[in-house]
Amino acid sequence: MCLAQCLLDRVPGRNWARAEPYVRDAIAGHALGAGQLPRLLTDPTLMVYADPVVLRAAVEELADDEAAAAQLPAPARTYLRTAPLLTRTRADPPLRAKPLATAFDEDGLPEYARVLRDHPELGVPDGPPPASAPPPTVPHPRPMETQP
């Protein structure tokens, strides 16, 4: 617990963009070991700035434990759903923020998407993506009449 808290104390104003790379990338493992990871998984900026492979492994380990999985907050479930994309591409934070914000919107968690949109350096577009328009109504063709 002490090491996880010491690392958290080194994040300037809880601004993960300004945290040292080691702190950003190691916090998930140390918080998991201290039983504190669920409380960090409500911070979408951590999900964007932490090493996606390390964070995914820690969240998956937590999700695999039946008792701990019950404590998994909704944003963490969204992260797990998008983690394959985030870890496969190894993209920079702005590119990770966009699909994550979209996933938060899709999962009914717009307040977490809004947090990412409130960070201009991430470049997440305003609002959820527009819903696709329903297909146009096409009149049903009349059956062909047969001639006697």
Side-chain angles (χ1 to χ4, degrees):
M1 169 83 169
C2 179
L3 186 53
Q5 188 58 52
C6 289
L7 289 175
L8 279 174
D9 291 343
R10 295 187 63 163
V11 179
R14 295 291 191 256
N15 181 341
W16 292 102
R18 294 180 39 218
E20 298 169 29
Y22 175 79
V23 173
R24 274 195 318 254
D25 298 341
I27 191 65
H30 291 296
L32 176 66
Q36 298 298 311
L37 186 57
R39 75 182 179 102
L40 292 179
L41 295 176
T42 59
D43 185 343
T45 58
L46 170 66
M47 296 175 187
V48 167
Y49 284 101
D51 180 310
V53 173
V54 174
L55 183 58
R56 178 184 182 181
V59 177
E60 285 178 343
E61 187 172 330
L62 187 65
D64 288 344
D65 179 302
E66 195 172 314
Q71 299 175 11
L72 203 61
R77 294 181 194 284
T78 298
Y79 181 82
L80 279 177
R81 186 168 68 81
T82 60
L85 173 67
L86 303 177
T87 56
R88 182 175 54 245
T89 61
R90 298 291 293 209
D92 289 335
L95 292 177
R96 292 196 298 260
K98 291 171 186 161
L100 192 55
T102 299
F104 284 137
D105 284 326
E106 291 170 352
D107 290 355
L109 302 169
E111 63 276 18
Y112 294 96
R114 197 170 19 262
V115 169
L116 297 178
R117 289 186 181 101
D118 287 345
H119 286 266
E121 74 277 9
L122 294 175
V124 178
D126 287 339
S132 59
T137 306
V138 177
H140 190 348
R142 296 181 189 203
M144 293 180 64
E145 296 181 18
T146 56
Q147 298 289 332

